[in-house]
């Protein structure tokens, strides 16, 4: 059943391993200019960008005072220590991040991150004052063997079972079916709605309906300016986590504008 009241809309750009500091600052400045030119839209949608670590500071300067928020793509669960090559939550907060992705499928499936690791990173983000954007989603094999619901319930429960309702309310979930990421095969609105309902029902059960009902659940996977409006037409879809299409400011803003214009 669609909810009557819409939650705040949220459009996030995951730049993945793209853009140097100078390139990232230029892209961020273009996004800020588009947000300023669309003041009505910008008040209706929260926008965030997630550059690679080396570009965070340059992008933080480029978006300062604009309302566009800054996130990182990963963090280590510990605040400091002998973890060569890792970056901690306090370090991200210190360069201006207020958000961080956890459990992106490229880390779950490419870097061996388990549900337990994703849960630990989520707790660490909250401890360090960052809003975690918790990514979940099934692989093609899991969908084809009709295990989508089982996977989503498992991934969501692993993260949220350890959180209080107040902590949970300070997080965002991104449903990113692995088969739709970077493939051009966007989930149909019906597939996205069905998955979002499973996620929402699991959150309601694990953290309570009040916290669960207030959290944004984003869709990610081949979102672009042409398909975004059909996804956002459904009140279950609170926004998008955008990969490839977030690397061009105009295309990214079309998605933000579609979220702002959604009924
Ligand atoms: P694409 O939009 O490139 O499919 O990537 C989605 C994604 O993984 C965002 O985190």
């Amino acid at each position: 059943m669609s909810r009557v009241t819409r939650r705040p809309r949220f459009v996030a750009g995951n730049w993945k391993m793209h853009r140097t500091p100078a390139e990232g600052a230029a892209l961020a400045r273009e996004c800020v200019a588009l947000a300023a030119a669309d003041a009505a839209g910008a008040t209706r949608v929260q926008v965030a960008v997630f550059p690679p670590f080396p570009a965070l500071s340059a992008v933080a300067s480029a978006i300062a005072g604009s309302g566009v928020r800054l996130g990182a793509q990963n963090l280590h669960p510990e605040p400091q220590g002998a973890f060569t090559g890792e970056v901690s939550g306090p370090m991200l907060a210190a360069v201006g991040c207020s958000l961080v992705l956890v459990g992106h499928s490229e880390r779950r499936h490419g870097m061996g991150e388990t549900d337990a690791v994703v849960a630990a990173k989520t707790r660490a983000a909250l401890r360090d004052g960052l809003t975690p954007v918790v990514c979940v989603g099934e692989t093609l094999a899991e969908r084809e063997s009709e295990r989508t619901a089982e996977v989503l319930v498992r991934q969501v429960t692993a993260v949220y079972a350890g959180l209080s309702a107040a902590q949970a309310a300070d997080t965002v979930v991104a449903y990113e079916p692995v088969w739709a990421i970077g493939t051009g095969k966007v989930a149909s609105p019906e597939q996205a709605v069905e998955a979002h309902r499973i996620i929402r029902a699991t959150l309601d059960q694990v953290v309570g309906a009040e916290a669960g009902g207030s959290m944004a659940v984003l869709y990610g996977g081949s979102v672009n300016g042409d398909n975004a409006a059909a996804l956002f037409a459904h009140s279950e879809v609170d926004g998008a986590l955008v990969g490839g299409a977030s690397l061009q400011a105009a295309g990214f803003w079309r998605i933000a504008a579609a979220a702002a214009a959604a009924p």
Side-chain angles (χ1 to χ4, degrees):
M1 193 178 68
S2 291
R3 291 174 193 239
V4 179
T5 317
R6 279 204 81 123
R7 287 167 289 274
R9 301 136 206 254
F10 186 36
V11 172
N14 173 11
W15 295 359
K16 306 192 178 183
M17 201 170 72
H18 297 284
R19 302 295 182 258
T20 64
E23 292 165 351
L27 173 57
R29 277 194 295 272
E30 282 184 69
C31 292
V32 167
L34 289 168
D38 180 11
T43 58
R44 286 168 62 84
V45 58
Q46 207 165 106
V47 174
V49 292
F50 292 74
F53 293 136
L56 286 171
S57 286
V59 172
S61 301
I63 62 176
S66 71
V68 175
R69 296 175 66 192
L70 185 66
Q73 298 172 18
N74 184 31
L75 83 169
H76 190 276
E78 295 298 326
Q80 59 185 37
F83 302 104
T84 300
E86 296 290 326
V87 173
S88 74
M91 294 171 183
L92 300 175
V95 294
C97 291
S98 60
L99 299 147
V100 63
L101 301 183
V102 294
H104 192 280
S105 73
E106 286 152 17
R107 300 206 57 84
R108 288 181 189 262
H109 299 292
M111 310 285 173
E113 285 194 9
T114 61
D115 286 338
V117 168
V118 178
K121 290 185 172 191
T122 302
R123 286 194 297 275
L126 291 164
R127 175 199 66 209
D128 299 333
L130 300 166
T131 297
V133 179
V134 180
C135 304
V136 298
E138 81 287 359
T139 63
L140 183 59
E142 288 163 343
R143 174 163 285 269
E144 287 179 340
S145 57
E146 296 183 1
R147 292 174 52 216
T148 298
E150 171 199 324
V151 169
L152 295 178
V153 170
R154 192 200 78 226
Q155 291 178 337
V156 171
T157 304
V159 168
Y160 287 93
L163 301 186
S164 68
Q167 287 176 310
D170 196 18
T171 72
V172 172
V173 176
Y175 168 59
E176 296 209 308
V178 180
W179 48 270
I181 295 178
T183 59
K185 279 192 221 150
V186 63
S188 69
E190 294 70 28
Q191 287 172 318
V193 165
E194 185 187 14
H196 283 219
R197 286 181 181 165
I198 293 165
I199 291 166
R200 183 78 61 194
T202 308
L203 290 170
D204 285 355
Q205 204 167 18
V206 176
V207 300
E210 195 180 330
S214 71
M215 292 165 50
V217 180
L218 315 180
Y219 168 78
S222 298
V223 177
N224 60 38
D226 294 329
N227 59 32
L231 291 159
F232 299 150
H234 299 270
S235 64
E236 287 86 352
V237 181
D238 299 313
L241 181 54
V242 185
S246 70
L247 294 172
Q248 303 297 334
F252 183 53
W253 196 261
R254 270 184 75 202
I255 297 167

